[in-house]
Amino acid sequence: MLRTPGLLALFVAKLLSTFGSWLTLLALPWFVLVTTGSPVKMSAVLAAEFLGVVTLGLPSGRVVARLGVRRTMLICDAARVPLMALIPLLHQAGWLSLPALLVVSFSLGVFTAPYVSSQRLILADLLGPTRGTDEKLLARANSLIDGATRVAALAGPALGGLLIALLGPAQVLWIDAGTYLISYLILAFFVRPPAPVVADTNRASPRASDERAATFAGLRHALRHRALRLFVLALTLVTTSVPAVFICLQVLVMDELGGDPRTLGLLTGANGAGLAIGSLVAVAGLGRMNNTALTGAAMLQCAPLWLLLVDHALAVAGGLFLVGLATPLLAATVNTRVTLRTPAPIRPHVMTAVTTTENLAAFVGYTAAGPALQLSGLRTVLAVIATLAALGAITFAMALRADDSPPALPNQRPREPRRHRRTPAIHEPATGTERNP
């Protein structure tokens, strides 16, 4: 697998861009808070990026389908270089305002959904038409690329805090712009998947109605396929609950664990260490794991969240480490099953639908945690988080049991319902074509 041309280059590009994103995740809120003194404005800038992801997530599937995954990634990286550099540039010129920050943050989010979807889909192209349908091999490749995110999650926060202290938040944003540029160059010169050969007899320009229907083709396919529907539901439950943990951690440290910021660093680092080690485990062993082992991993992700109710820093750190350990296994499994259970012509639409759903769930988790903490208290919110994660693990296990469908062939197109006389630009699967109605 590691000898696959372009795979290690893709790993490096992912590592650099995700590291830069972690720098921004620390530097941008701090920059807004320092320059405006308003936590509300800080939250608004962060929410604007999520809004960009969610608002244009589904339509971006049409962009990926038209341009192809590699070209989409190049465009997204190229666009985010000047967007990220615009913030410190306007600040130095004295022209930076809150509306400008909101526009830039929203625009960065617009390019996130198509980039993430393309990054997940390009793996099957890199492996080739035969190896790209090997579920075990594709799962290991997904684990490798996902591992770049986990390593960056371990190193990014620690180095980000140091760089902010040494250089200032505005200068750190220049570094993030540079990582996007380097990622673009790596993709342009070293990531060149073989062109897929897709039989397509319909070269006519698609009608506007077909384009609009294609926007929701991926979502409909995921909802009609029983296993994918359950996988997406499990992903929604987990990504709603787990991100909220990190909102609660600050309150937990401040109110019950002594108020020492080093304790917060210990807890965040424990989760990052679990994510990094879990990625190594996934790369080495995911291809040999059966459904029973994957179900155990799902339980390992949710059960330790109850340790957060224990009033002891080491118990909380242990729980977060175990949650991180299991997360890469589940993430790579979902990405692999979604790719292989979807016919190639509509994979961009399905993956962007999944990415949009994932980001919307995380947005809900982030925004709901604060008010819930004020209304119900820390213990109640942590218990709700653990319960939602447990429901997600149960749903994931149900999805594994329901997933007895063979992988879709690389060039297979969904069967068109008989009632349609015309041939749309992008076909949708009829309900009867699925083995699991």
Side-chain angles (χ1 to χ4, degrees):
M1 181 189 69
L2 295 179
R3 296 180 180 178
T4 301
L7 187 58
L8 286 179
L10 183 65
F11 173 87
V12 174
K14 175 67 172 176
L15 180 65
L16 289 174
S17 63
T18 307
F19 174 75
S21 297
W22 270 104
L23 295 182
T24 297
L25 188 61
L26 293 176
L28 186 57
W30 187 261
F31 174 76
V32 175
L33 192 60
V34 168
T35 55
T36 68
S38 172
V40 175
K41 293 179 180 179
M42 177 187 67
S43 299
V45 171
L46 291 177
E49 184 170 356
F50 276 104
L51 187 61
V53 174
V54 172
T55 302
L56 297 179
L58 288 177
S60 68
R62 290 159 53 184
V63 175
V64 178
R66 279 176 172 268
L67 299 179
V69 291
R70 179 176 177 271
R71 187 179 299 175
T72 300
M73 293 174 68
L74 289 171
I75 291 174
C76 290
D77 268 343
R80 288 184 291 183
V81 173
L83 280 172
M84 184 56 64
L86 193 60
I87 298 176
L89 188 63
L90 290 176
H91 174 65
Q92 289 180 358
W95 296 340
L96 188 62
S97 63
L98 179 62
L101 269 175
L102 293 175
V103 170
V104 172
S105 185
F106 179 87
S107 301
L108 288 169
V110 166
F111 291 100
T112 297
Y115 184 88
V116 172
S117 301
S118 299
Q119 192 171 66
R120 292 172 176 175
L121 292 170
I122 200 173
L123 291 175
D125 293 342
L126 286 174
L127 292 174
T130 301
R131 299 169 74 224
T133 58
D134 185 330
E135 186 168 307
K136 295 181 179 180
L137 187 61
L138 184 58
R140 292 181 61 204
N142 268 303
S143 301
L144 177 66
I145 301 305
D146 191 56
T149 303
R150 312 308 177 186
V151 172
L154 179 61
L159 292 178
L162 179 62
L163 290 172
I164 290 172
L166 292 176
L167 304 176
Q171 302 304 317
V172 171
L173 297 178
W174 283 112
I175 296 176
D176 191 12
T179 62
Y180 285 129
L181 176 60
I182 297 173
S183 174
Y184 172 87
L185 294 174
I186 292 173
L187 292 173
F189 290 103
F190 299 106
V191 181
R192 296 179 176 274
V197 180
V198 180
D200 186 5
T201 58
N202 182 19
R203 298 289 182 180
S205 298
R207 299 179 181 179
S209 60
D210 295 334
E211 290 283 352
R212 287 191 295 269
T215 299
F216 298 95
L219 184 60
R220 284 194 291 268
H221 175 75
L223 293 177
R224 289 174 179 175
H225 191 292
R226 183 185 177 194
L228 294 188
R229 183 169 65 245
L230 290 172
F231 277 126
V232 172
L233 178 57
L235 184 66
T236 302
L237 290 168
V238 172
T239 52
T240 301
S241 57
V242 173
V245 169
F246 297 94
I247 302 295
C248 297
L249 279 184
Q250 307 204 28
V251 178
L252 178 65
V253 172
M254 181 64 65
D255 293 348
E256 301 187 16
L257 297 180
D260 190 340
R262 291 176 295 182
T263 303
L264 181 61
L266 168 67
L267 300 181
T268 307
N271 182 253
L275 290 170
I277 295 174
S279 297
L280 296 176
V281 173
V283 172
L286 184 57
R288 296 189 293 271
M289 290 186 179
N290 56 22
N291 285 353
T292 301
L294 291 173
T295 300
M299 298 306 166
L300 180 62
Q301 187 189 48
C302 72
L305 287 174
W306 293 101
L307 291 174
L308 272 64
L309 296 171
V310 178
D311 188 12
H312 197 285
L314 291 180
V316 175
L320 291 173
F321 174 81
L322 294 175
V323 170
L325 192 65
T327 297
L329 297 169
L330 307 185
T333 298
V334 172
N335 291 336
T336 301
R337 301 293 176 98
V338 169
T339 300
L340 294 183
R341 302 304 181 260
T342 304
I346 62 170
R347 280 179 186 170
H349 303 279
V350 173
M351 193 59 77
T352 51
V354 172
T355 302
T356 302
T357 302
E358 183 179 2
N359 279 277
L360 178 60
F363 175 73
V364 170
Y366 277 123
T367 55
L373 285 168
Q374 289 186 344
L375 292 173
S376 304
L378 178 62
R379 298 292 175 183
T380 301
V381 174
L382 289 175
V384 170
I385 288 172
T387 301
L388 287 176
L391 291 175
I394 294 171
T395 307
F396 181 83
M398 293 170 59
L400 291 174
R401 290 176 60 88
D403 187 29
D404 59 355
S405 302
L409 297 176
N411 299 331
Q412 177 183 345
R413 288 181 177 272
R415 187 180 302 170
E416 181 185 0
R418 292 183 179 179
R419 64 178 179 274
H420 293 166
R421 294 182 178 275
R422 59 186 174 82
T423 303
I426 298 179
H427 306 282
E428 297 178 84
T431 305
T433 60
E434 298 294 342
R435 296 182 64 180
N436 296 305

